[in-house]
Amino acid sequence: MTGSSVPPFAVISGAQVQQALAGRERQITELVEETYRLHDAGDSVNPPSYFLRFPDRPSDRIIALPASIGGKVRVDGLKWISSFPENVAAGIPRASAVLILNDHDTGYPFACLESSIISATRTAASAALAADWLTRGRPQGSRPARVGFFGTGLIARYIHTFLTGTGWTFDEIGVHDLSAEHAAGLRGYLEKAGPGRITVYEDAEQLIRSSDLVVFATIAGEPHVSDVSWFEHNPVVLHVSLRDLAPEVLLASTNLVDDVEHCLKANTSPHLAEQLTGSRDFLAGTLADVMAGRVTVPAGRPVVFSPFGLGVLDLAVGKYVYDEVTRSGDLHVIDDFFHELKRYGA
Ligand SMILES: NC(=O)c1ccc[n+]([C@@H]2O[C@H](COP(=O)([O-])OP(=O)(O)OC[C@H]3O[C@@H](n4cnc5c(N)ncnc54)[C@H](O)[C@@H]3O)[C@@H](O)[C@H]2O)c1
């Protein structure tokens, strides 16, 4: 969008978002990589997320993620995402979200997109990107072929889709969840999704010991995995749910985050490790540091990637969706959305 006229305002449904993103795992993972590089180069504004919490509903929250991104994407905006864990028992997803895109030149909002799919997509793409970069230095053929999903909700499903959609194949797929029903749900999905022997582990330790790539996607509010010996086979851990691992596990691992200031907040496991040790020395750096060659991942230790989740990723994926829907000619514009446009009346 250019010039300083008022842009039309569009609404993009979840069905349109899904259609724009379906089968695009490689493109979106590349887009997320470019966005991490832009953010690393300082061509973004990404203030801390704002957590709205409720004294009478302590497990619920709504998070605001304002952000601005430069480069080719060049858009500002806000992601507004709710997490109501009780929804799952009622048969609807935990998370719901909208993304507002604002025009770079006028500040006008020009689109409202269904954003639970965008959020899950950028999260999964970032996990797949990390899995790739954190195993690049390994000898040919020694990339993990045993994956374990610790927590088996929507995010776990999306991460599986992005791993397989970016070239990963698994001989063994482990799943573990506090709820046998949820574990069976992901198992049913995986059986249809492709090859790999699937095992449901009731025991968390067995899942971790049987996986060289471990994906945490629970809704745990505080650490529940603290035994360092479970990680003695040095897996790559995608710690997407951020609060599962006790500081001891992080202190025995190589730790990478997406953004240091963001991640060392809100009682994430890295935040707890900082509080425990009084320093940030346990952090090796960011994924962008690895991508730029500033940090090398040593062999012989577990590697833990804890991504806080950056609003700039939602903007980049949201703008991609907006451009796709516009290109397809299906953009649903709300006529006269902005109405009071003459300073002193018509
Ligand atoms: N870092 C990021 O950028 C980012 C982005 C999106 C979501 N997330 C996080 O991913 C997590 C998963 O999201 P979702 O939409 O899949 O949630 P979900 O509610 O659909 O699934 C979570 C699953 O975890 C299971 N679970 C909860 N506690 C557990 C425990 N201690 N051990 C084993 N299983 C446990 C639940 O039974 C459930 O099946 C959430 O914590 C969410 O905040 C992170």
Side-chain angles (χ1 to χ4, degrees):
M1 221 145 290
T2 51
S4 30
S5 57
V6 171
F9 186 81
V11 173
I12 298 179
S13 70
Q16 289 180 299
V17 171
Q18 192 163 52
Q19 199 185 358
L21 294 174
R24 308 279 172 85
E25 289 82 13
R26 283 189 194 276
Q27 289 99 309
I28 299 302
T29 305
E30 279 165 23
L31 176 63
V32 163
E33 176 166 352
E34 276 167 38
T35 308
Y36 275 142
R37 289 191 201 274
L38 269 183
H39 180 64
D40 183 57
D43 198 2
S44 67
V45 187
N46 203 132
S49 304
Y50 185 86
F51 285 66
L52 178 67
R53 295 189 189 276
F54 317 97
D56 57 331
R57 290 167 282 155
S59 67
D60 300 341
R61 62 173 195 230
I62 312 182
I63 313 180
L65 293 84
S68 172
I69 181 169
K72 279 182 284 176
V73 180
R74 204 167 171 263
V75 75
D76 310 328
L78 174 75
K79 172 191 187 180
W80 181 231
I81 181 160
S82 310
S83 171
F84 280 52
E86 301 290 311
N87 283 357
V88 173
I92 60 173
R94 175 191 61 81
S96 56
V98 291
L99 176 71
I100 300 290
L101 298 179
N102 290 77
D103 177 30
H104 180 276
D105 296 329
T106 60
Y108 268 75
F110 64 90
C112 174
L113 297 87
E114 193 290 329
S115 202
S116 68
I117 297 170
I118 290 171
S119 180
T121 297
R122 64 80 149 141
T123 303
S126 129
L129 183 70
D132 178 17
W133 276 100
L134 301 181
T135 55
R136 278 197 185 186
R138 301 187 177 197
Q140 191 104 28
S142 63
R143 210 151 91 139
R146 302 184 305 164
V147 66
F149 291 94
F150 201 125
T152 57
L154 185 106
I155 294 293
R157 167 161 71 85
Y158 266 74
I159 292 177
H160 178 267
T161 302
F162 266 79
L163 287 169
T164 53
T166 54
W168 289 79
T169 50
F170 300 108
D171 304 332
E172 304 274 347
I173 307 175
V175 298
H176 166 76
D177 200 290
L178 288 183
S179 156
E181 188 194 332
H182 297 178
L186 186 66
R187 182 197 188 121
Y189 166 79
L190 292 168
E191 279 166 355
K192 284 184 254 144
R197 197 174 63 169
I198 304 158
T199 309
V200 175
Y201 292 95
E202 279 178 29
D203 182 23
E205 176 178 356
Q206 284 312 313
L207 175 91
I208 292 176
R209 287 190 184 275
S210 311
S211 309
D212 300 310
L213 179 62
V214 183
V215 178
F216 278 94
T218 74
I219 46 161
E222 43 199 64
H224 52 98
V225 173
S226 55
D227 191 334
V228 174
S229 73
W230 294 7
F231 299 83
E232 63 197 2
H233 58 302
N234 301 325
V236 172
V237 180
L238 306 175
H239 186 214
V240 175
S241 37
L242 293 165
R243 296 177 184 85
D244 302 275
L245 299 174
E248 298 85 302
V249 176
L250 297 195
L251 298 179
S253 308
T254 299
N255 289 283
L256 296 151
V257 295
D258 52 354
D259 179 295
V260 174
E261 293 305 328
H262 280 254
C263 201
L264 296 187
K265 280 202 174 79
N267 287 336
T268 61
S269 300
H271 189 202
L272 300 183
E274 181 188 32
Q275 288 167 28
L276 184 74
T277 60
S279 97
R280 296 179 170 185
D281 293 350
F282 68 95
L283 284 182
T286 64
L287 186 60
D289 287 330
V290 175
M291 285 165 13
R294 294 187 295 262
V295 165
T296 356
V297 178
R301 282 193 110 193
V303 187
V304 179
F305 176 56
S306 301
F308 195 74
L310 301 177
V312 285
L313 299 187
D314 297 281
L315 284 188
V317 176
K319 183 62 168 37
Y320 175 93
V321 169
Y322 179 86
D323 290 343
E324 284 297 305
V325 176
T326 304
R327 217 187 327 274
S328 72
D330 294 331
L331 194 66
H332 179 53
V333 168
I334 308 294
D335 291 330
D336 304 322
F337 186 82
F338 296 111
H339 186 60
E340 185 69 280
L341 298 174
K342 294 267 188 283
R343 200 156 190 226
Y344 299 110

